[in-house]
């Protein structure tokens, strides 16, 4: 990703709330750093925390196993307070990982909706792999792969899981230039 992406939860009227007015009764622990907030805001930013609170209303912390590079986790708290934040390309993979750990598909979808990377034979399998790992829809990338499959470097094809390769190979719209390429792919799998 080569440009900044702007994120907002789209939750109306949260920005008028003063997060300081609420008791900070919940902690996100990220690489030993503690980020305190109110459990309402924690539930808002993390469906996993919200589910945890439904199961155990007394739960007071959530541990995230990822390095806290540049205190980027604070951006998630700002989102929960209704603020809009800007994510630089350097922070993108970290933000995606944390959003995934929080179970926040809204953030994941928003990032990929704003992703300016072109789908090419050099990028399509990486995009499919990323979106698969986050449980996101990759239909557009899949269709591209089906129509350009034999143009995609074998090394890139082998980045995705076997089920995805199998689905592409079984797709009725599959386009390949020659059978030698297909044979080589199958041999390497």
């Amino acid at each position: 990703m080569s440009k900044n992406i702007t994120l907002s939860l789209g939750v109306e009227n949260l920005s008028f709330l003063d997060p300081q007015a609420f008791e900070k009764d919940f902690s996100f622990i990220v690489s030993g750093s503690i980020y305190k907030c109110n459990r309402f805001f924690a539930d808002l930013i993390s469906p996993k925390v919200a589910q945890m609170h439904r199961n155990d209303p007394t739960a007071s912390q959530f541990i995230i196993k990822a390095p806290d590079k540049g205190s980027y986790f604070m951006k998630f708290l700002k989102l929960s307070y209704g603020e809009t934040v800007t994510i630089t390309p350097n922070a993108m993979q970290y933000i995606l990982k944390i959003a995934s750990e929080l179970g926040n598909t809204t953030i994941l979808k928003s990032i990929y909706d704003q992703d300016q990377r072109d789908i090419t034979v050099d990028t399509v399998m990486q995009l499919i792999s990323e979106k698969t790992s986050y449980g996101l829809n990759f239909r557009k990338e899949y269709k591209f792969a089906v129509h350009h499959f034999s143009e995609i470097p074998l090394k890139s094809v082998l980045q995705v899981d076997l089920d995805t390769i199998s689905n592409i190979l079984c797709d009725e719209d599959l386009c390949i230039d020659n059978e030698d390429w297909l044979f080589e792919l199958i041999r390497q799998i």
Side-chain angles (χ1 to χ4, degrees), residues 15-32:
S15 58
F16 77 88
L17 294 174
D18 177 9
Q20 303 309 319
F22 294 87
E23 178 185 0
K24 293 185 177 182
D25 55 358
F26 191 83
S27 299
F28 286 100
I29 302 172
V30 187
S31 290

Side-chain angles (χ1 to χ4, degrees), residues 7-21:
L7 297 176
S8 176
L9 287 179
V11 180
E12 296 178 23
N13 299 323
L14 272 183
S15 58
F16 77 88
L17 294 174
D18 177 9
Q20 303 309 319

Side-chain angles (χ1 to χ4, degrees), residues 1-7 85-93 95-96 110-118:
M1 293 180 212
S2 60
K3 74 175 216 168
N4 291 347
I5 289 179
T6 302
L7 297 176
V85 299
T86 300
I87 309 299
T88 63
N90 295 347
M92 206 64 59
Q93 289 305 313
I95 297 298
L96 287 166
S110 181
I111 288 172
Y112 279 103
D113 287 348
Q114 296 178 63
D115 188 353
Q116 297 297 311
R117 289 181 288 181
D118 291 328

Side-chain angles (χ1 to χ4, degrees), residues 3 13 38 40 70 72 77-78 93 101-102 104 107 115 121 132-133 135 145 151 159 177 182:
K3 74 175 216 168
N13 299 323
N38 182 269
F40 167 77
Y72 288 135
L77 292 182
K78 288 180 179 182
Q93 289 305 313
E101 287 198 37
L102 293 171
N104 194 316
I107 290 175
D115 188 353
V121 294
T132 300
S133 72
E151 300 168 43
Q159 287 180 349
D177 288 338
L182 184 58

Side-chain angles (χ1 to χ4, degrees), residues 93-170:
Q93 289 305 313
Y94 175 77
I95 297 298
L96 287 166
K97 180 173 178 27
I98 298 302
S100 178
E101 287 198 37
L102 293 171
N104 194 316
T105 56
T106 302
I107 290 175
L108 292 168
K109 287 176 187 173
S110 181
I111 288 172
Y112 279 103
D113 287 348
Q114 296 178 63
D115 188 353
Q116 297 297 311
R117 289 181 288 181
D118 291 328
I119 301 173
T120 68
V121 294
D122 295 321
T123 63
V124 66
M125 297 317 247
Q126 177 64 33
L127 289 168
I128 289 173
S129 180
E130 288 175 16
K131 287 186 172 186
T132 300
S133 72
Y134 298 127
L136 298 176
N137 182 306
F138 56 91
R139 182 169 318 195
K140 184 169 53 170
E141 293 82 2
Y142 175 85
K143 285 295 181 190
F144 181 92
V146 165
H147 290 285
H148 300 275
F149 201 57
S150 60
E151 300 168 43
I152 300 170
L154 284 175
K155 181 176 142 186
S156 296
V157 171
L158 298 173
Q159 287 180 349
V160 298
D161 62 80
L162 195 53
D163 286 339
T164 301
I165 294 171
S166 176
N167 288 337
I168 291 170
L169 290 173
C170 293

